[in-house]
Amino acid sequence: MPRLLVCTDSYPPQLNGVSVVTAAMVTGLSARGWECAVLAPAYPPALTAPLSQPVTLRHVALPSRSLPAYPDVRLVWPPLRHARQIVRDFRPDVVHCATEFTVGWAGLRAARAYDVPVVTTHHTDFSRYCDAYGVPFLRPVVQRWLGRFHRRAHHTIAPSAAVERTLRAMHVGHTTVWGGGVDTAHFSPRHFSLLSRHRYAMGADFNFLHVGRLAPEKNV
């Protein structure tokens, strides 16, 4: 049975694109016979996870603090000791670092210390946030950080061809495009409800729906 250790700075019950995709990957691989463990921040007990997790999942919740600007985002002091311990105890066949921050970096360093293959995912080009928040001079610094992180991995996953081009511009060559799937049971025409459409004054016309934070970097 293959073993996967996922190291991520964002995981349910926090709700965002990275956490949902990462949890769905863990759930899917567990259903296919993989033994998975997750190293992620701890969240307040009042939050509930939006996705069900495998009963056998080993989940190490690291002490964390909220980010002042975004209370839902949790910050973890670099947990290198925890990462090395779980790599020693769990003995994964591969370590997947889903984010480039403290938990992801700790997983990357621990995996390299124990000669375990590392796969990373580049979900977001955080260097673009510098332009959106008025500090464009920091963009090269953030790009160097991201590029250095992914170049240290054995392979890097990009969710789209555009993201892969961004990685290539940062001199990351070992990449694969792995697009996000759509749950056709959840997002199905059988859920169509004319009553719900009338409730929101949508009628029968075609509508666009935006789901996400109304933040500058989203370019809504």
Side-chain angles (χ1 to χ4, degrees), residues 154-190:
H154 292 81
H155 205 81
T156 299
I157 296 170
S160 68
V163 174
E164 186 177 44
R165 288 193 294 271
T166 299
L167 287 166
R168 296 290 173 83
M170 293 188 291
H171 307 291
V172 180
H174 41 268
T175 61
T176 296
V177 175
W178 185 24
V182 176
D183 186 339
T184 56
H186 187 77
F187 297 98
S188 168
R190 66 186 176 85

Side-chain angles (χ1 to χ4, degrees), residues 99-123:
T99 54
E100 300 98 341
F101 298 109
T102 57
V103 181
W105 267 101
L108 179 65
R109 292 182 61 185
R112 288 174 61 89
Y114 289 96
D115 200 25
V116 179
V118 184
V119 175
T120 59
T121 299
H122 185 52
H123 291 281

Side-chain angles (χ1 to χ4, degrees), residues 139-161:
R139 186 168 184 174
V141 177
V142 177
Q143 284 182 329
R144 286 195 294 271
W145 169 279
L146 296 172
R148 182 176 173 230
F149 176 83
H150 293 293
R151 285 193 299 270
R152 289 167 62 89
H154 292 81
H155 205 81
T156 299
I157 296 170
S160 68

Side-chain angles (χ1 to χ4, degrees), residues 64-81:
S64 65
R65 299 180 65 88
S66 62
L67 183 67
Y70 291 106
D72 290 342
V73 176
R74 308 298 295 184
L75 300 177
V76 177
W77 184 257
L80 186 56
R81 178 175 60 85

